[in-house]
Amino acid sequence: MTRPVVVQHSAGVPGANGPLTAVQRVLASRLADRYEFVRMHRSAGNGGLNVPLLREWVRLLRQVRPDLVHVRGLQNEGFHGVLAARLAGCPRILVTVHGTVRDLRQPGRAWRRRLLVHGAEPATLRLASHVATVCEYAAGRDFLRDLGGKFVGVIPNGVPLPAHPSAGRDRARADLGLHPDDVAMITVARLTWEKGFGVLADALRRLPPSTTRRVLLVAGDGPDRAGIAAALTDIGGIEVRLLGNRLDVPDLLTAADLFVFPTLHENLSNALLEAMAHGLPVVASAVGGNVEVLRPGGGRLVPAGDPGALAAALAPLLDDPGERRHVGQLGRKVVADGYSLDVMLGSLDRVYQRLIGE
């Protein structure tokens, strides 16, 4: 029996964004035996309307004649994916909403933001035949309420659940130069102010002094790296290490003791789920999908943009290894029950079967 052809659209470079990570996990999963997957990927951003890229993708789609095109994201890259699918005459186009430009708080180019918010993003939703979100929070957003029958539900992000999350911990810590008694915080995020690094820097300065060495590991890169590095300099009692984009994030999580995630807005973060899957307790801002993920346990939620609340939530976890273990175990169960890779693949498979069956 011929397998249905499903085009997997993505953009960006490995280790730098969640949607691409999700695509890579799907391609390497059991679903590759059920569907014939075809990649439609672009590493660099599209800038404005990229006609050569559209032509390239239209030729590809007409050649493979997919049963379904799965586009991830609303921004310019997603718009190009959906438009190419429409121009190629593809009957089924699923768009998964991972985020929206309307949430960005940094000034930047206001005209470009308006073009995306009022042009490309609504057009992407109109051109799609079906729409899904990665969390309940996103599904309730105002700009998604008029989708009618297009909305097919929530397909949550899913992450691998390591069988033995502490295996290799001593080696991983030694590779980072961490001493046995050090307490290592970690955050994994794009280096933009949107991820709350200014709040984090202020919160760390408010922590009470400790005789234990504390280290902050920062995995990721981005346009605000220089400013963030300056903000995280000279924080008394805490050693900060900016590690850049890393492909060994699981090893870093194994080495760490606590995950901190002060982002100012979020849908459903793979980095958050991966930290919880490794049994790390979490302190995160109460925004977007963070709230529904941590509601059953696994961490502490604090108001976004509140360094005092962030410091107050971090302090007891930094000082109490028993509490860290207890909270981390709860978080690992939350991921196992609702956000594992198997859960994501099952949800995705059901949606694919439904759409292709139509």
Side-chain angles (χ1 to χ4, degrees):
M1 181 178 177
T2 303
R3 290 177 298 164
V5 177
V6 177
V7 169
Q8 295 284 340
H9 162 272
S10 57
V13 295
N17 71 66
L20 176 55
T21 299
V23 169
Q24 292 170 325
R25 287 173 175 160
V26 170
L27 294 174
S29 75
R30 66 176 188 270
L31 295 188
D33 296 327
R34 183 185 289 267
Y35 304 98
E36 181 180 344
F37 289 133
V38 176
R39 294 294 303 277
M40 192 167 75
H41 178 78
R42 179 160 177 87
S43 297
N46 298 328
L49 185 65
N50 191 326
V51 175
L53 177 64
L54 283 172
R55 288 174 177 161
E56 174 189 338
W57 280 356
V58 168
R59 281 195 299 269
L60 170 67
L61 293 169
R62 286 176 175 168
Q63 177 183 350
V64 302
R65 301 179 64 186
D67 297 278
L68 175 67
V69 179
H70 188 176
V71 174
R72 286 173 169 82
L74 283 182
Q75 299 184 21
N76 200 33
E77 292 79 9
F79 171 70
H80 278 74
V82 173
L83 181 57
R86 278 295 179 195
L87 292 173
C90 300
R92 303 174 194 87
I93 308 166
L94 170 65
V95 169
T96 301
V97 178
H98 290 262
T100 169
V101 170
R102 69 196 66 221
D103 287 337
L104 300 182
R105 304 184 184 190
Q106 297 301 312
R109 291 178 288 180
W111 64 268
R112 177 176 171 78
R113 182 180 184 279
R114 287 195 297 270
L115 186 62
L116 290 171
V117 169
H118 301 293
E121 291 194 351
T124 301
L125 294 171
R126 285 195 302 270
L127 291 170
S129 62
H130 300 86
V131 176
T133 62
V134 295
C135 60
E136 297 291 348
Y137 162 76
R141 299 291 298 270
D142 289 344
F143 70 98
L144 294 178
R145 286 182 180 167
D146 297 327
L147 295 175
K150 286 187 179 185
F151 184 64
V152 297
V154 174
I155 305 173
N157 291 340
V159 299
L161 198 71
H164 305 287
S166 61
R169 175 174 167 84
D170 291 344
R171 175 194 54 78
R173 286 176 70 88
D175 289 346
L176 290 165
L178 295 174
H179 303 146
D181 293 333
D182 291 348
V183 177
M185 297 172 278
I186 186 170
T187 186
V188 181
R190 191 162 182 258
L191 295 191
T192 71
W193 295 114
E194 304 283 340
K195 294 298 183 180
F197 283 103
V199 181
L200 177 59
D202 194 351
L204 295 180
R205 289 185 170 89
R206 296 174 185 231
L207 289 173
S210 172
T211 56
T212 301
R213 188 170 78 133
R214 295 169 173 174
V215 179
L216 173 67
L217 306 173
V218 180
D221 209 339
D224 297 329
R225 180 185 175 97
I228 289 169
L232 291 172
T233 299
D234 295 329
I235 296 177
I238 297 177
E239 179 183 336
V240 179
R241 301 184 191 173
L242 271 62
L243 304 176
N245 273 340
R246 299 288 291 248
L247 299 180
D248 62 343
V249 168
D251 290 337
L252 300 179
L253 296 173
T254 296
D257 299 290
L258 187 154
F259 186 79
V260 56
F261 194 50
T263 182
L264 302 181
H265 55 81
E266 196 69 34
N267 277 310
L268 186 60
S269 166
N270 277 307
L272 171 66
L273 299 178
E274 288 167 0
M276 295 171 68
H278 278 77
L280 292 185
V282 171
V283 177
S285 49
V287 295
N290 293 358
V291 177
E292 61 200 71
V293 170
L294 289 170
R295 187 180 296 121
R300 309 284 187 258
L301 288 165
V302 299
D306 187 335
L310 182 58
L314 284 171
L317 287 171
L318 288 169
D319 292 337
D320 190 340
E323 181 67 3
R324 290 199 300 269
R325 282 193 296 273
H326 171 68
V327 175
Q329 288 168 359
L330 290 176
R332 182 172 159 83
K333 185 178 186 304
V334 168
V335 171
D337 291 344
Y339 301 99
S340 70
L341 187 56
D342 282 343
V343 170
M344 180 187 77
L345 294 174
S347 299
L348 197 60
D349 190 21
R350 287 189 291 273
V351 170
Y352 283 0
Q353 289 291 314
R354 171 185 160 190
L355 301 191
I356 292 171
E358 290 177 356

